Amino acid sequence: MPNYKASISSKLPDTSTSIFAVMSKLAHEEKAINLSQGYPDFPSSPELINLVSEAMKQGYNQYAPMPGIYSLREVISEKITSMYGTVYHPETEITVTAGATQAIFTIITAMIQQDDEVIIFAPAYDCYIPSIRLNGGKAIEIELQAPDYRVDWKAVKDTISNKTKMIILNTPHNPTGTVLSKDDMIALESLIKDTNIIVLSDEVYEHLIYDGLEHQSIARFPGLAERSFLVASFGKTFHNTGWKMGYCAGPSALMEEFRKVHQYNVFSVNHPIQKALSVYLKNKENYLVLPEFFQKKRDLFLNAIKDSKFVFKPSSGTYFQLLNYANLSEENDLELAKKWTREMKLASIPISMFYSGLIDNKALRFCFAKSDDTLLRGAEILNKIE
Ligand SMILES: Cc1ncc(COP(=O)(O)O)c(C=O)c1O
């Protein structure tokens, strides 16, 4: 093929393959235990799989309605109200999406115009900045300070300008495993109450929260809910990230704009899976068991490495655990993550990749959504590192 590249002016010149793909590929090539990318290595529920297959057999194989099937939107609405209080009308305030990533891209595309500023907290999940840039916006990063990674609301106040259009929240937080408190949410609510700032609240790990903590969804705070998009992921909740299913909820005026983009982006998403989820989601146990299920995995992993030289605070949410290796090596986190994948046969994610300035706090992220055996084998390797 002739090299066409010379004539292409990239819209994302600084973007390369995501670190998740890089580390998973390396783990595969090196036959390493893969605690890098955030997905479970155990199966999705057989009941849910049966429901999908039944829906296919029953003929739900053509386009679903643009915003999602009504019965699924109805049960999503009931779930949000029962957990967080706010009522989202299924007709006008909820849209089913192809995972959270599509919801996030669609929200940003619908809302962000040339030179609008979007405040994000770094380390930040990797899809926010490219989505903002592609839409002509400017991401303004506020650093969460290690080792606690809390939000400095004074810094947020000082960063807000008349160009600030959006603030992106993520709680429970990937990659640090921290969760926002009620006071954090109240601080945000009062900071933006007299502005036109809207909030994109990425809550994909809403059900993965530990030690008796409660998830502080924007839907618990009327002053935030009225100006926010709430984003959720069935992939994260029901152990099937490969299905790419999620949803977005928000007040009707915001949702109307969201759907204008959604209908020309994907139009509608997987019909048989929507049918299956509309049944499976009715049983609250299916998501209420998750804190206990994942906390056991976190504790198994942390207990197994308690005598290692790594320094850590138990993750409060998500299925990620940060381990600080400053006692073990001065090496750059990216180089070390690659080296340990090749030499120790254990893959992780370097945290510097979640900052545009590649800040290296000597921390690696390990995913504990893995079978107990995988976690114990991973821990055994970590214990050997001196
Ligand atoms: C914070 C956060 N938001 C969004 C996503 C994307 O979710 P989905 O797979 O549903 O697109 C992820 C996936 O890792 C994530 O960690």
Side-chain angles (χ1 to χ4, degrees), residues 352-369:
S352 63
M353 306 311 286
F354 293 76
Y355 296 91
S356 60
L358 303 178
I359 295 168
D360 178 10
N361 289 320
K362 309 281 176 241
L364 298 172
R365 190 197 80 175
F366 293 82
C367 174
F368 55 81

Side-chain angles (χ1 to χ4, degrees), residues 20 37-39 97-104 124-128 170-175 202-205 231-236 240-242 244-246 318-320 354 365:
F20 310 114
Q37 211 170 352
Y39 61 82
T97 61
T101 313
Q102 185 243 313
I104 292 165
Y125 183 60
D126 68 345
C127 78
Y128 307 149
N170 171 215
T171 185
H173 183 252
N174 177 12
D202 178 346
E203 303 185 15
V204 300
Y205 300 103
V231 174
S233 168
F234 290 117
K236 298 293 181 184
N240 44 44
T241 55
K244 294 301 291 184
M245 294 293 287
T318 74
Y319 41 47
F320 302 117
F354 293 76
R365 190 197 80 175

Side-chain angles (χ1 to χ4, degrees), residues 151-154 156-157 160 181-193 221 224:
V151 175
D152 175 353
W153 292 107
K154 165 84 172 53
V156 179
K157 185 169 183 225
I160 289 176
S181 67
K182 189 173 174 187
D183 286 348
D184 286 319
M185 303 305 272
I186 291 170
L188 175 64
E189 196 173 24
S190 86
L191 256 189
I192 61 177
K193 90 172 167 327
F221 303 86
L224 289 174

Side-chain angles (χ1 to χ4, degrees), residues 22 65 97 118 124 145 178 194:
V22 170
T97 61
V118 181
Q145 297 293 330
T178 54
D194 298 321

Side-chain angles (χ1 to χ4, degrees), residues 330-375:
E330 286 181 354
E331 233 174 298
N332 159 286
D333 65 353
L334 175 61
E335 291 314 314
L336 194 67
K338 287 184 175 168
K339 182 167 137 185
W340 283 352
T341 307
R342 280 192 295 263
E343 294 176 9
M344 306 301 293
K345 304 295 173 199
L346 179 64
S348 59
I349 296 285
I351 296 309
S352 63
M353 306 311 286
F354 293 76
Y355 296 91
S356 60
L358 303 178
I359 295 168
D360 178 10
N361 289 320
K362 309 281 176 241
L364 298 172
R365 190 197 80 175
F366 293 82
C367 174
F368 55 81
K370 306 292 170 188
S371 70
D372 292 358
D373 176 58
T374 309
L375 290 173

